[in-house]
Amino acid sequence: MGPPVHAAAGRSEGTPAVTGTVDGGVPVGGTAAVAEDPHRWTPRLVTILIVLILVSEIIPVSAVLAGTALPTISAEYATTQAGWTMTIAFLTASIAMPLVGKLADMYGKKRLLMVVLAITVVGSLLSAVASSFPMFLLGRALQGAIFSVAFLCYSLIRDVFPEKIVPFAVSVTVTGTGIVVVLQPFLAGWLIDNHGVSGAFWFVTVLTAVLAGAALLMVPESPVRSSDSRPDLMGALLLGSSVAAVLVAVSSAPQWGWTSAGTLGLLAVGCALFAAWIVQAGHAPEPLVDLRKLRRPALLYTVLASGLVYGVGTTTSSILAIMAMTPREAGGDYGFGMTASEFAIFGVINGIGIVGGGLIVGLTVRRHGAKVHMVAAAVAIAVGALTMGLGRGDELLVLTATALAHLGVGLAGAAIPNLVIAAVPPDHQVVSASLTEVSRTLMAGIGTTVVFVVLNANIQAMAGGRPVYEGIGFQWAYALIATCAVLGGLAATRLPGRTGEPSTA
C-alpha cells in the first residue's frame, strides 16, 4: 500500500492546547520547533529526519515481506487461508489508526509512536516463533499497529521542526529515500528463500526494535496537546468485531458451506454489530468514524473512490506472488515457477509504478485537478487487473499489466489528500482524512479476503500442504478487482470538475 494520508493523525476539530516548544519557548507560527536555527538544517534535524524516514519505511518493508511470503506461509502452515496474513493487519490498522491519533493528541505523539513500535515488535516476534497459523495471525494482527507510524511521523515533523522546513521534511518522509523501493523486494526474496517465514519476521522484529531505540534516543516529544480529544473505544470494538465476523464467515464459507449454521450465524452477528455501530456512531460526541460528515456529497464520493480504487486496487499484489511462484506444470495455463528472489522484479516494477503515479499527481494536480487523477487511476487499475487475469500465462504481459495497475495505485494514493482538501473546509480536513484512511485500509482487508474466497472456490489440487488454484480462479479474482476499480471511478466522476489546490505533503 501507499503511504497513509498524514492528515489522518486524529487531531480533534477543537483547538489543541500548545504547551510550548521542546526548549521551553512558545511555538512560532503554529509549529513547535526544536531549539535550532529556524532558517537552516542542522545535524540534529537531519538525524531526526533520517530516523523518522526509516521508521516510516517499516510499513512497506513489512508489507512486501508478508505479501511475498504468502505462498511459503500457505505451504508451511498447510492452510488455504493465507490471505488472512494481509487481511488481519489491514483490519486492525483501520481500527487502530483513529484511536492512536486521538491518544497521540492527548498523551503525546512520540509516546504513542513508542507504544506502536513496541506492539509491532511483539507482533513480529510472535509471527517469527509461531508454531501454528492462529498464533502467526495473532502476531500479524498486532503488526497492523505499524500503519499508524506514518501519520505520527508526519505530525511530529509538523510539531517539532522549524516551520520553514516542514513541507520539505514531510515530503521526503512520504516518498522515502527511493532506495527502499528497489531494495526491499530483493531483501524480501532473499530472506524468504534462505531463512523462511520465521527468518523474514525475525528481520522485522530486529529492525523495528533497533529503530524504536533510535527514535527513543533521537526524536523529541511534541509539546502539542488536545485536552478535549476522546477515543471512541466502544466504536472501535463494534466496528472491528462486525467486520471480523463477516470476513471470517465469508472466508470460511467454502469449507463450512454458505448455508451452514456457522456461516449464517457469523454473518448475522456481524450485521447486527455493524448496525449497532452505525447507531453508536450517530450518538457518540467524537465517534471513531464520523459518518455525519458523509452528508457532504464530495466527501462521500471521495471516501467511496478511496476504498474501491486504492484500497481494493492494492490487493492485486496480494495474489500476484502466488500466481508467479506456482510452477507452470502445476498451474496449467499460468505460473512462472519463480523463487521469492526471482519474484523481486515484480516488486520493483510495482514500487516504481506507485512512485511514478505519485510524481505525476504532484506535477500536474494544479493544472488538471485530482478528480482526473482518480478517474485515471481507476482505469489503469481496471485495465491492469483484467490483463493480469486474462494474460496470466505470459510473464512479460503480466509484468507490464502489474506496472500499469500500480501506476494507478500511485495516482490514487496521491490524489486522495488533494480530494479531501477540496471536499471539506480546513477545520474538517483531519476528521475527513481519517474517513478516507479507514475506508482504504478496511477495503484492502475486505478485498483481500474476497479474492481469496474466489481462489479457494477454484482449488484444483493440494501440493505439499499448499493449494494449487485453477487459472480461472485468478481470472475471476482480478475481474473482481477491476469491477471495484470501475465502481470507484464512477464515484470519482461525481466529484467537482476542479478539486482545488494540492496538498503540501
PDB file of all heavy atoms in Angstrom, residues 1-4 53-66 90 97 116 120 140 143-151 153-154 180 184 204 207-208 211:
ATOM      1  N   MET A   1       0.818  -1.176   0.000  1.00  0.00           N
ATOM      2  CA  MET A   1       0.000   0.000   0.000  1.00  0.00           C
ATOM      3  C   MET A   1       0.865   1.243   0.000  1.00  0.00           C
ATOM      4  O   MET A   1       1.971   1.248   0.486  1.00  0.00           O
ATOM      5  CB  MET A   1      -0.889   0.069   1.245  1.00  0.00           C
ATOM      6  CG  MET A   1      -1.974  -0.983   1.295  1.00  0.00           C
ATOM      7  SD  MET A   1      -2.950  -0.828   2.801  1.00  0.00           S
ATOM      8  CE  MET A   1      -3.730   0.741   2.587  1.00  0.00           C
ATOM      9  N   GLY A   2       0.249   2.356  -0.485  1.00  0.00           N
ATOM     10  CA  GLY A   2       0.971   3.611  -0.454  1.00  0.00           C
ATOM     11  C   GLY A   2       0.918   4.228   0.918  1.00  0.00           C
ATOM     12  O   GLY A   2       0.245   3.759   1.812  1.00  0.00           O
ATOM     13  N   PRO A   3       1.613   5.317   1.120  1.00  0.00           N
ATOM     14  CA  PRO A   3       1.665   5.956   2.422  1.00  0.00           C
ATOM     15  C   PRO A   3       0.319   6.500   2.821  1.00  0.00           C
ATOM     16  O   PRO A   3      -0.397   7.083   2.010  1.00  0.00           O
ATOM     17  CB  PRO A   3       2.677   7.097   2.210  1.00  0.00           C
ATOM     18  CG  PRO A   3       2.672   7.344   0.756  1.00  0.00           C
ATOM     19  CD  PRO A   3       2.389   6.035   0.105  1.00  0.00           C
ATOM     20  N   PRO A   4      -0.102   6.358   4.071  1.00  0.00           N
ATOM     21  CA  PRO A   4      -1.368   6.874   4.529  1.00  0.00           C
ATOM     22  C   PRO A   4      -1.418   8.390   4.455  1.00  0.00           C
ATOM     23  O   PRO A   4      -0.405   9.071   4.483  1.00  0.00           O
ATOM     24  CB  PRO A   4      -1.447   6.390   5.991  1.00  0.00           C
ATOM     25  CG  PRO A   4      -0.488   5.259   6.071  1.00  0.00           C
ATOM     26  CD  PRO A   4       0.574   5.572   5.087  1.00  0.00           C
ATOM     27  N   ILE A  53      12.221   8.873   8.782  1.00  0.00           N
ATOM     28  CA  ILE A  53      12.067   8.247   7.467  1.00  0.00           C
ATOM     29  C   ILE A  53      12.214   6.733   7.587  1.00  0.00           C
ATOM     30  O   ILE A  53      11.399   5.969   7.060  1.00  0.00           O
ATOM     31  CB  ILE A  53      13.124   8.804   6.476  1.00  0.00           C
ATOM     32  CG1 ILE A  53      12.797  10.255   6.111  1.00  0.00           C
ATOM     33  CG2 ILE A  53      13.162   7.945   5.206  1.00  0.00           C
ATOM     34  CD1 ILE A  53      13.885  10.918   5.278  1.00  0.00           C
ATOM     35  N   LEU A  54      13.242   6.294   8.311  1.00  0.00           N
ATOM     36  CA  LEU A  54      13.475   4.860   8.456  1.00  0.00           C
ATOM     37  C   LEU A  54      12.336   4.180   9.219  1.00  0.00           C
ATOM     38  O   LEU A  54      11.933   3.065   8.885  1.00  0.00           O
ATOM     39  CB  LEU A  54      14.811   4.620   9.158  1.00  0.00           C
ATOM     40  CG  LEU A  54      16.050   5.015   8.357  1.00  0.00           C
ATOM     41  CD1 LEU A  54      17.308   4.846   9.199  1.00  0.00           C
ATOM     42  CD2 LEU A  54      16.153   4.197   7.072  1.00  0.00           C
ATOM     43  N   VAL A  55      11.812   4.844  10.235  1.00  0.00           N
ATOM     44  CA  VAL A  55      10.672   4.294  10.971  1.00  0.00           C
ATOM     45  C   VAL A  55       9.467   4.153  10.046  1.00  0.00           C
ATOM     46  O   VAL A  55       8.768   3.125  10.057  1.00  0.00           O
ATOM     47  CB  VAL A  55      10.335   5.183  12.184  1.00  0.00           C
ATOM     48  CG1 VAL A  55       8.980   4.804  12.770  1.00  0.00           C
ATOM     49  CG2 VAL A  55      11.412   5.054  13.253  1.00  0.00           C
ATOM     50  N   SER A  56       9.222   5.158   9.212  1.00  0.00           N
ATOM     51  CA  SER A  56       8.095   5.093   8.265  1.00  0.00           C
ATOM     52  C   SER A  56       8.269   3.957   7.269  1.00  0.00           C
ATOM     53  O   SER A  56       7.284   3.360   6.817  1.00  0.00           O
ATOM     54  CB  SER A  56       7.956   6.421   7.513  1.00  0.00           C
ATOM     55  OG  SER A  56       7.652   7.477   8.398  1.00  0.00           O
ATOM     56  N   GLU A  57       9.521   3.650   6.920  1.00  0.00           N
ATOM     57  CA  GLU A  57       9.765   2.607   5.929  1.00  0.00           C
ATOM     58  C   GLU A  57       9.516   1.195   6.462  1.00  0.00           C
ATOM     59  O   GLU A  57       9.514   0.240   5.694  1.00  0.00           O
ATOM     60  CB  GLU A  57      11.203   2.718   5.403  1.00  0.00           C
ATOM     61  CG  GLU A  57      11.471   3.950   4.568  1.00  0.00           C
ATOM     62  CD  GLU A  57      10.608   4.035   3.328  1.00  0.00           C
ATOM     63  OE1 GLU A  57      10.285   2.981   2.756  1.00  0.00           O
ATOM     64  OE2 GLU A  57      10.238   5.164   2.951  1.00  0.00           O
ATOM     65  N   ILE A  58       9.302   1.056   7.768  1.00  0.00           N
ATOM     66  CA  ILE A  58       8.938  -0.262   8.304  1.00  0.00           C
ATOM     67  C   ILE A  58       7.637  -0.736   7.668  1.00  0.00           C
ATOM     68  O   ILE A  58       7.452  -1.937   7.440  1.00  0.00           O
ATOM     69  CB  ILE A  58       8.786  -0.222   9.839  1.00  0.00           C
ATOM     70  CG1 ILE A  58      10.110   0.158  10.492  1.00  0.00           C
ATOM     71  CG2 ILE A  58       8.317  -1.581  10.371  1.00  0.00           C
ATOM     72  CD1 ILE A  58       9.995   0.393  12.002  1.00  0.00           C
ATOM     73  N   ILE A  59       6.739   0.182   7.349  1.00  0.00           N
ATOM     74  CA  ILE A  59       5.437  -0.189   6.777  1.00  0.00           C
ATOM     75  C   ILE A  59       5.609  -0.918   5.445  1.00  0.00           C
ATOM     76  O   ILE A  59       5.154  -2.063   5.306  1.00  0.00           O
ATOM     77  CB  ILE A  59       4.534   1.050   6.610  1.00  0.00           C
ATOM     78  CG1 ILE A  59       4.295   1.735   7.946  1.00  0.00           C
ATOM     79  CG2 ILE A  59       3.191   0.648   5.974  1.00  0.00           C
ATOM     80  CD1 ILE A  59       3.553   3.047   7.833  1.00  0.00           C
ATOM     81  N   PRO A  60       6.244  -0.305   4.426  1.00  0.00           N
ATOM     82  CA  PRO A  60       6.383  -1.037   3.161  1.00  0.00           C
ATOM     83  C   PRO A  60       7.285  -2.258   3.255  1.00  0.00           C
ATOM     84  O   PRO A  60       7.034  -3.258   2.577  1.00  0.00           O
ATOM     85  CB  PRO A  60       6.970   0.014   2.202  1.00  0.00           C
ATOM     86  CG  PRO A  60       7.614   1.038   3.069  1.00  0.00           C
ATOM     87  CD  PRO A  60       6.770   1.077   4.309  1.00  0.00           C
ATOM     88  N   VAL A  61       8.310  -2.211   4.112  1.00  0.00           N
ATOM     89  CA  VAL A  61       9.191  -3.370   4.239  1.00  0.00           C
ATOM     90  C   VAL A  61       8.411  -4.574   4.762  1.00  0.00           C
ATOM     91  O   VAL A  61       8.493  -5.682   4.219  1.00  0.00           O
ATOM     92  CB  VAL A  61      10.385  -3.047   5.156  1.00  0.00           C
ATOM     93  CG1 VAL A  61      11.128  -4.327   5.539  1.00  0.00           C
ATOM     94  CG2 VAL A  61      11.340  -2.073   4.472  1.00  0.00           C
ATOM     95  N   SER A  62       7.634  -4.374   5.830  1.00  0.00           N
ATOM     96  CA  SER A  62       6.876  -5.493   6.399  1.00  0.00           C
ATOM     97  C   SER A  62       5.773  -5.948   5.465  1.00  0.00           C
ATOM     98  O   SER A  62       5.479  -7.145   5.367  1.00  0.00           O
ATOM     99  CB  SER A  62       6.287  -5.097   7.757  1.00  0.00           C
ATOM    100  OG  SER A  62       5.425  -3.983   7.643  1.00  0.00           O
ATOM    101  N   ALA A  63       5.160  -5.002   4.727  1.00  0.00           N
ATOM    102  CA  ALA A  63       4.089  -5.367   3.796  1.00  0.00           C
ATOM    103  C   ALA A  63       4.629  -6.200   2.634  1.00  0.00           C
ATOM    104  O   ALA A  63       4.016  -7.203   2.240  1.00  0.00           O
ATOM    105  CB  ALA A  63       3.400  -4.111   3.271  1.00  0.00           C
ATOM    106  N   VAL A  64       5.771  -5.800   2.082  1.00  0.00           N
ATOM    107  CA  VAL A  64       6.364  -6.556   0.978  1.00  0.00           C
ATOM    108  C   VAL A  64       6.803  -7.941   1.443  1.00  0.00           C
ATOM    109  O   VAL A  64       6.604  -8.942   0.744  1.00  0.00           O
ATOM    110  CB  VAL A  64       7.547  -5.779   0.367  1.00  0.00           C
ATOM    111  CG1 VAL A  64       8.336  -6.659  -0.595  1.00  0.00           C
ATOM    112  CG2 VAL A  64       7.048  -4.540  -0.360  1.00  0.00           C
ATOM    113  N   LEU A  65       7.384  -8.020   2.629  1.00  0.00           N
ATOM    114  CA  LEU A  65       7.794  -9.311   3.167  1.00  0.00           C
ATOM    115  C   LEU A  65       6.585 -10.242   3.319  1.00  0.00           C
ATOM    116  O   LEU A  65       6.624 -11.403   2.910  1.00  0.00           O
ATOM    117  CB  LEU A  65       8.471  -9.125   4.521  1.00  0.00           C
ATOM    118  CG  LEU A  65       9.956  -8.767   4.507  1.00  0.00           C
ATOM    119  CD1 LEU A  65      10.418  -8.364   5.906  1.00  0.00           C
ATOM    120  CD2 LEU A  65      10.784  -9.930   4.008  1.00  0.00           C
ATOM    121  N   ALA A  66       5.503  -9.714   3.901  1.00  0.00           N
ATOM    122  CA  ALA A  66       4.319 -10.544   4.120  1.00  0.00           C
ATOM    123  C   ALA A  66       3.687 -10.972   2.806  1.00  0.00           C
ATOM    124  O   ALA A  66       3.313 -12.140   2.629  1.00  0.00           O
ATOM    125  CB  ALA A  66       3.306  -9.781   4.970  1.00  0.00           C
ATOM    126  N   PHE A  90      -4.608  -5.343   7.903  1.00  0.00           N
ATOM    127  CA  PHE A  90      -5.397  -4.207   7.417  1.00  0.00           C
ATOM    128  C   PHE A  90      -6.558  -3.907   8.356  1.00  0.00           C
ATOM    129  O   PHE A  90      -6.898  -2.741   8.609  1.00  0.00           O
ATOM    130  CB  PHE A  90      -5.935  -4.505   6.019  1.00  0.00           C
ATOM    131  CG  PHE A  90      -4.895  -4.462   4.931  1.00  0.00           C
ATOM    132  CD1 PHE A  90      -4.853  -5.446   3.958  1.00  0.00           C
ATOM    133  CD2 PHE A  90      -3.972  -3.442   4.863  1.00  0.00           C
ATOM    134  CE1 PHE A  90      -3.907  -5.425   2.946  1.00  0.00           C
ATOM    135  CE2 PHE A  90      -3.015  -3.394   3.861  1.00  0.00           C
ATOM    136  CZ  PHE A  90      -2.988  -4.394   2.891  1.00  0.00           C
ATOM    137  N   MET A  97      -5.825   3.112  13.792  1.00  0.00           N
ATOM    138  CA  MET A  97      -5.344   4.441  13.403  1.00  0.00           C
ATOM    139  C   MET A  97      -6.148   5.582  14.016  1.00  0.00           C
ATOM    140  O   MET A  97      -5.562   6.529  14.561  1.00  0.00           O
ATOM    141  CB  MET A  97      -5.267   4.553  11.882  1.00  0.00           C
ATOM    142  CG  MET A  97      -4.069   3.821  11.311  1.00  0.00           C
ATOM    143  SD  MET A  97      -3.774   4.133   9.561  1.00  0.00           S
ATOM    144  CE  MET A  97      -5.149   3.247   8.843  1.00  0.00           C
ATOM    145  N   VAL A 116       3.372   2.102  19.683  1.00  0.00           N
ATOM    146  CA  VAL A 116       3.084   1.399  18.434  1.00  0.00           C
ATOM    147  C   VAL A 116       4.270   0.529  18.014  1.00  0.00           C
ATOM    148  O   VAL A 116       4.096  -0.625  17.598  1.00  0.00           O
ATOM    149  CB  VAL A 116       2.725   2.413  17.325  1.00  0.00           C
ATOM    150  CG1 VAL A 116       2.781   1.766  15.950  1.00  0.00           C
ATOM    151  CG2 VAL A 116       1.340   3.006  17.585  1.00  0.00           C
ATOM    152  N   THR A 120       4.412  -3.551  17.655  1.00  0.00           N
ATOM    153  CA  THR A 120       4.871  -4.167  16.406  1.00  0.00           C
ATOM    154  C   THR A 120       5.997  -5.169  16.662  1.00  0.00           C
ATOM    155  O   THR A 120       6.047  -6.236  16.036  1.00  0.00           O
ATOM    156  CB  THR A 120       5.339  -3.082  15.421  1.00  0.00           C
ATOM    157  OG1 THR A 120       4.266  -2.152  15.203  1.00  0.00           O
ATOM    158  CG2 THR A 120       5.738  -3.693  14.088  1.00  0.00           C
ATOM    159  N   ARG A 140       0.391 -11.105  13.384  1.00  0.00           N
ATOM    160  CA  ARG A 140       0.086 -10.196  12.278  1.00  0.00           C
ATOM    161  C   ARG A 140      -0.946  -9.147  12.684  1.00  0.00           C
ATOM    162  O   ARG A 140      -0.881  -7.993  12.240  1.00  0.00           O
ATOM    163  CB  ARG A 140      -0.421 -10.996  11.081  1.00  0.00           C
ATOM    164  CG  ARG A 140       0.649 -11.737  10.329  1.00  0.00           C
ATOM    165  CD  ARG A 140       1.615 -10.783   9.653  1.00  0.00           C
ATOM    166  NE  ARG A 140       0.945  -9.993   8.617  1.00  0.00           N
ATOM    167  CZ  ARG A 140       1.429  -8.865   8.103  1.00  0.00           C
ATOM    168  NH1 ARG A 140       2.562  -8.354   8.546  1.00  0.00           N
ATOM    169  NH2 ARG A 140       0.769  -8.236   7.144  1.00  0.00           N
ATOM    170  N   GLN A 143       0.838  -6.524  14.385  1.00  0.00           N
ATOM    171  CA  GLN A 143       1.666  -5.767  13.442  1.00  0.00           C
ATOM    172  C   GLN A 143       0.861  -4.723  12.674  1.00  0.00           C
ATOM    173  O   GLN A 143       1.438  -3.788  12.104  1.00  0.00           O
ATOM    174  CB  GLN A 143       2.334  -6.723  12.454  1.00  0.00           C
ATOM    175  CG  GLN A 143       3.425  -7.586  13.067  1.00  0.00           C
ATOM    176  CD  GLN A 143       3.842  -8.719  12.151  1.00  0.00           C
ATOM    177  OE1 GLN A 143       4.261  -8.504  11.024  1.00  0.00           O
ATOM    178  NE2 GLN A 143       3.710  -9.950  12.628  1.00  0.00           N
ATOM    179  N   GLY A 144      -0.460  -4.851  12.639  1.00  0.00           N
ATOM    180  CA  GLY A 144      -1.281  -3.838  11.981  1.00  0.00           C
ATOM    181  C   GLY A 144      -1.115  -2.465  12.602  1.00  0.00           C
ATOM    182  O   GLY A 144      -1.369  -1.443  11.954  1.00  0.00           O
ATOM    183  N   ALA A 145      -0.645  -2.420  13.846  1.00  0.00           N
ATOM    184  CA  ALA A 145      -0.428  -1.132  14.502  1.00  0.00           C
ATOM    185  C   ALA A 145       0.605  -0.279  13.766  1.00  0.00           C
ATOM    186  O   ALA A 145       0.583   0.950  13.858  1.00  0.00           O
ATOM    187  CB  ALA A 145       0.028  -1.353  15.949  1.00  0.00           C
ATOM    188  N   ILE A 146       1.510  -0.921  13.016  1.00  0.00           N
ATOM    189  CA  ILE A 146       2.602  -0.188  12.385  1.00  0.00           C
ATOM    190  C   ILE A 146       2.112   0.839  11.372  1.00  0.00           C
ATOM    191  O   ILE A 146       2.795   1.836  11.105  1.00  0.00           O
ATOM    192  CB  ILE A 146       3.596  -1.173  11.706  1.00  0.00           C
ATOM    193  CG1 ILE A 146       4.928  -0.465  11.382  1.00  0.00           C
ATOM    194  CG2 ILE A 146       2.986  -1.769  10.433  1.00  0.00           C
ATOM    195  CD1 ILE A 146       5.655   0.024  12.592  1.00  0.00           C
ATOM    196  N   PHE A 147       0.918   0.648  10.813  1.00  0.00           N
ATOM    197  CA  PHE A 147       0.395   1.621   9.848  1.00  0.00           C
ATOM    198  C   PHE A 147       0.223   2.999  10.469  1.00  0.00           C
ATOM    199  O   PHE A 147       0.205   4.005   9.759  1.00  0.00           O
ATOM    200  CB  PHE A 147      -0.942   1.136   9.277  1.00  0.00           C
ATOM    201  CG  PHE A 147      -0.809   0.029   8.269  1.00  0.00           C
ATOM    202  CD1 PHE A 147      -0.765  -1.299   8.669  1.00  0.00           C
ATOM    203  CD2 PHE A 147      -0.724   0.305   6.920  1.00  0.00           C
ATOM    204  CE1 PHE A 147      -0.630  -2.326   7.753  1.00  0.00           C
ATOM    205  CE2 PHE A 147      -0.590  -0.707   5.986  1.00  0.00           C
ATOM    206  CZ  PHE A 147      -0.544  -2.029   6.397  1.00  0.00           C
ATOM    207  N   SER A 148       0.095   3.054  11.799  1.00  0.00           N
ATOM    208  CA  SER A 148      -0.097   4.349  12.464  1.00  0.00           C
ATOM    209  C   SER A 148       1.176   5.187  12.499  1.00  0.00           C
ATOM    210  O   SER A 148       1.095   6.397  12.737  1.00  0.00           O
ATOM    211  CB  SER A 148      -0.588   4.126  13.898  1.00  0.00           C
ATOM    212  OG  SER A 148      -1.800   3.419  13.931  1.00  0.00           O
ATOM    213  N   VAL A 149       2.348   4.577  12.294  1.00  0.00           N
ATOM    214  CA  VAL A 149       3.580   5.360  12.443  1.00  0.00           C
ATOM    215  C   VAL A 149       3.709   6.412  11.356  1.00  0.00           C
ATOM    216  O   VAL A 149       4.388   7.427  11.563  1.00  0.00           O
ATOM    217  CB  VAL A 149       4.846   4.468  12.459  1.00  0.00           C
ATOM    218  CG1 VAL A 149       4.750   3.397  13.519  1.00  0.00           C
ATOM    219  CG2 VAL A 149       5.151   3.886  11.107  1.00  0.00           C
ATOM    220  N   ALA A 150       3.050   6.203  10.211  1.00  0.00           N
ATOM    221  CA  ALA A 150       3.193   7.183   9.126  1.00  0.00           C
ATOM    222  C   ALA A 150       2.681   8.547   9.556  1.00  0.00           C
ATOM    223  O   ALA A 150       3.418   9.548   9.521  1.00  0.00           O
ATOM    224  CB  ALA A 150       2.460   6.691   7.877  1.00  0.00           C
ATOM    225  N   PHE A 151       1.412   8.613  10.010  1.00  0.00           N
ATOM    226  CA  PHE A 151       0.897   9.928  10.370  1.00  0.00           C
ATOM    227  C   PHE A 151       1.504  10.443  11.676  1.00  0.00           C
ATOM    228  O   PHE A 151       1.585  11.647  11.895  1.00  0.00           O
ATOM    229  CB  PHE A 151      -0.641   9.952  10.410  1.00  0.00           C
ATOM    230  CG  PHE A 151      -1.279   9.124  11.485  1.00  0.00           C
ATOM    231  CD1 PHE A 151      -1.237   9.500  12.808  1.00  0.00           C
ATOM    232  CD2 PHE A 151      -1.973   7.977  11.148  1.00  0.00           C
ATOM    233  CE1 PHE A 151      -1.857   8.756  13.790  1.00  0.00           C
ATOM    234  CE2 PHE A 151      -2.594   7.216  12.114  1.00  0.00           C
ATOM    235  CZ  PHE A 151      -2.534   7.599  13.442  1.00  0.00           C
ATOM    236  N   CYS A 153       4.698  10.146  12.421  1.00  0.00           N
ATOM    237  CA  CYS A 153       5.949  10.771  11.973  1.00  0.00           C
ATOM    238  C   CYS A 153       5.682  12.112  11.309  1.00  0.00           C
ATOM    239  O   CYS A 153       6.389  13.103  11.566  1.00  0.00           O
ATOM    240  CB  CYS A 153       6.692   9.842  11.023  1.00  0.00           C
ATOM    241  SG  CYS A 153       7.414   8.385  11.815  1.00  0.00           S
ATOM    242  N   TYR A 154       4.650  12.172  10.440  1.00  0.00           N
ATOM    243  CA  TYR A 154       4.336  13.442   9.778  1.00  0.00           C
ATOM    244  C   TYR A 154       3.967  14.499  10.816  1.00  0.00           C
ATOM    245  O   TYR A 154       4.380  15.665  10.742  1.00  0.00           O
ATOM    246  CB  TYR A 154       3.165  13.285   8.808  1.00  0.00           C
ATOM    247  CG  TYR A 154       3.305  12.174   7.810  1.00  0.00           C
ATOM    248  CD1 TYR A 154       2.175  11.567   7.259  1.00  0.00           C
ATOM    249  CD2 TYR A 154       4.543  11.720   7.389  1.00  0.00           C
ATOM    250  CE1 TYR A 154       2.280  10.538   6.342  1.00  0.00           C
ATOM    251  CE2 TYR A 154       4.666  10.699   6.473  1.00  0.00           C
ATOM    252  CZ  TYR A 154       3.529  10.108   5.959  1.00  0.00           C
ATOM    253  OH  TYR A 154       3.632   9.090   5.056  1.00  0.00           O
ATOM    254  N   VAL A 180      14.636   2.248  -1.035  1.00  0.00           N
ATOM    255  CA  VAL A 180      13.843   1.155  -0.452  1.00  0.00           C
ATOM    256  C   VAL A 180      12.974   0.487  -1.511  1.00  0.00           C
ATOM    257  O   VAL A 180      12.788  -0.730  -1.512  1.00  0.00           O
ATOM    258  CB  VAL A 180      12.994   1.686   0.717  1.00  0.00           C
ATOM    259  CG1 VAL A 180      12.083   0.596   1.259  1.00  0.00           C
ATOM    260  CG2 VAL A 180      13.894   2.213   1.832  1.00  0.00           C
ATOM    261  N   GLN A 184      13.891  -3.366  -1.266  1.00  0.00           N
ATOM    262  CA  GLN A 184      13.086  -4.193  -0.382  1.00  0.00           C
ATOM    263  C   GLN A 184      12.559  -5.472  -1.035  1.00  0.00           C
ATOM    264  O   GLN A 184      12.519  -6.525  -0.370  1.00  0.00           O
ATOM    265  CB  GLN A 184      11.940  -3.385   0.236  1.00  0.00           C
ATOM    266  CG  GLN A 184      10.879  -2.909  -0.730  1.00  0.00           C
ATOM    267  CD  GLN A 184       9.828  -2.048  -0.029  1.00  0.00           C
ATOM    268  OE1 GLN A 184       9.936  -1.749   1.141  1.00  0.00           O
ATOM    269  NE2 GLN A 184       8.803  -1.654  -0.772  1.00  0.00           N
ATOM    270  N   VAL A 204      12.063  -8.373  10.676  1.00  0.00           N
ATOM    271  CA  VAL A 204      11.174  -7.250  11.015  1.00  0.00           C
ATOM    272  C   VAL A 204      11.254  -6.945  12.507  1.00  0.00           C
ATOM    273  O   VAL A 204      11.246  -5.774  12.925  1.00  0.00           O
ATOM    274  CB  VAL A 204       9.725  -7.564  10.607  1.00  0.00           C
ATOM    275  CG1 VAL A 204       8.788  -6.431  11.036  1.00  0.00           C
ATOM    276  CG2 VAL A 204       9.626  -7.768   9.098  1.00  0.00           C
ATOM    277  N   LEU A 207      14.680  -5.173  13.133  1.00  0.00           N
ATOM    278  CA  LEU A 207      14.651  -3.851  12.501  1.00  0.00           C
ATOM    279  C   LEU A 207      13.801  -2.879  13.305  1.00  0.00           C
ATOM    280  O   LEU A 207      14.221  -1.737  13.584  1.00  0.00           O
ATOM    281  CB  LEU A 207      14.102  -3.977  11.074  1.00  0.00           C
ATOM    282  CG  LEU A 207      13.881  -2.660  10.321  1.00  0.00           C
ATOM    283  CD1 LEU A 207      15.214  -1.999  10.008  1.00  0.00           C
ATOM    284  CD2 LEU A 207      13.098  -2.903   9.021  1.00  0.00           C
ATOM    285  N   THR A 208      12.608  -3.313  13.690  1.00  0.00           N
ATOM    286  CA  THR A 208      11.705  -2.438  14.433  1.00  0.00           C
ATOM    287  C   THR A 208      12.275  -2.089  15.798  1.00  0.00           C
ATOM    288  O   THR A 208      12.193  -0.937  16.251  1.00  0.00           O
ATOM    289  CB  THR A 208      10.329  -3.103  14.591  1.00  0.00           C
ATOM    290  OG1 THR A 208       9.843  -3.498  13.310  1.00  0.00           O
ATOM    291  CG2 THR A 208       9.332  -2.141  15.225  1.00  0.00           C
ATOM    292  N   LEU A 211      15.153   0.492  15.377  1.00  0.00           N
ATOM    293  CA  LEU A 211      14.646   1.827  15.040  1.00  0.00           C
ATOM    294  C   LEU A 211      13.842   2.427  16.187  1.00  0.00           C
ATOM    295  O   LEU A 211      13.825   3.655  16.360  1.00  0.00           O
ATOM    296  CB  LEU A 211      13.795   1.748  13.769  1.00  0.00           C
ATOM    297  CG  LEU A 211      14.588   1.451  12.492  1.00  0.00           C
ATOM    298  CD1 LEU A 211      13.668   1.324  11.295  1.00  0.00           C
ATOM    299  CD2 LEU A 211      15.631   2.544  12.243  1.00  0.00           C
TER     300      LEU A 211
END
